[in-house]
Amino acid sequence: MHIEPGVVDGAKIILSYATAAVGFGLTAKMAADGLRDNGGLPALALRSLATTALVFCFFEVLPHHPVGVSEVHLILGSTLLLLFGAGAAAIGLAAGLLLQGLFFAPFDLPQYGMNVTTLLVPLWGINLLARRIIPRRTAYVDLKYSQALALSTAYQGGIVAWVAFWALYGHGFTAENLGNVGAFGLAYMSVILLEPLIDLAVLAAAKSLRQFSRGPLFNNRLHQPA
């Protein structure tokens, strides 16, 4: 989902500062909810360090390929949310993306506002969705495939929608631009199909290794109903 340099430039990039500010506001809200309901400040800090390290590794180690107007990544946003909570997942996505830009991809820094918006706003959306589709009596380790698929599809769909918005905002509705957006969206279908399986595999591992997946490092909801 890294927006390619030049997709949005000039004065148009100012909009990304505003959308990023909204994304950071949503992150603050999710983090505040975690402070209140999910272990307090020590747990949030520990989980945020874990998610930052994981996101950095996702971006640097896992396969990623340029397609059309952006890159196809296995971001595992829904996995991070389920394991560590929405606040820590949001902080990790923003911080991991920034660290990658600062140390390995400085050419991506001008696009940071667009990229962080593309990550954070869909995460906020699936945080709300999880509250609606996962009963309060259900621990996350007991999720069904249909629920994991809904979260992953919503998150990846949100990413595709934001990438399409930035591309169309930057270069309009030309045939070439529409083709590039379509190619990116089609390539992302592989991620949408794969991520729910990863979610369920990770949750199954957490369930079988519950002696290691309890405690302040992990989301309280992982093993406990709300």
Side-chain angles (χ1 to χ4, degrees), residues 63-138:
H64 52 279
H65 303 285
V67 179
V69 294
S70 187
E71 291 183 350
V72 175
H73 277 274
L74 192 63
I75 302 169
L76 302 179
S78 57
T79 311
L80 293 173
L81 183 145
L82 295 169
L83 287 179
F84 301 103
I91 292 170
L93 286 167
L97 179 67
L98 181 61
L99 288 174
Q100 186 203 32
L102 288 173
F103 294 106
F104 290 94
F107 51 85
D108 272 337
L109 287 176
Q111 289 77 241
Y112 179 78
M114 289 178 280
N115 290 330
V116 81
T117 301
T118 302
L119 291 174
L120 295 180
V121 176
L123 185 78
W124 172 74
I126 66 167
N127 183 45
L128 297 181
L129 179 63
R131 297 177 186 178
R132 294 182 62 88
I133 67 172
I134 303 173
R136 293 177 61 84
R137 64 182 181 276
T138 301

Side-chain angles (χ1 to χ4, degrees), residues 164-165 167-179:
F165 168 78
L168 297 174
Y169 172 67
H171 286 292
F173 291 83
T174 65
E176 180 181 5
N177 198 34
L178 289 172

Side-chain angles (χ1 to χ4, degrees), residues 2 6 11 16 19 23 30 37 46 60-62 78 80 83 104 106-107 114 131 133 140 148 167 171 198 202 205 218:
H2 285 70
S16 70
T19 60
M30 290 185 282
D37 304 325
L46 183 61
E60 283 299 309
V61 177
L62 295 182
S78 57
L80 293 173
L83 287 179
F104 290 94
F107 51 85
M114 289 178 280
R131 297 177 186 178
I133 67 172
Y140 285 163
H171 286 292
I198 295 174
V202 169
F218 293 97

Side-chain angles (χ1 to χ4, degrees), residues 13-29:
I13 208 168
I14 294 173
L15 178 63
S16 70
Y17 306 152
T19 60
V22 172
F24 290 138
L26 296 174
T27 297
K29 174 64 168 62

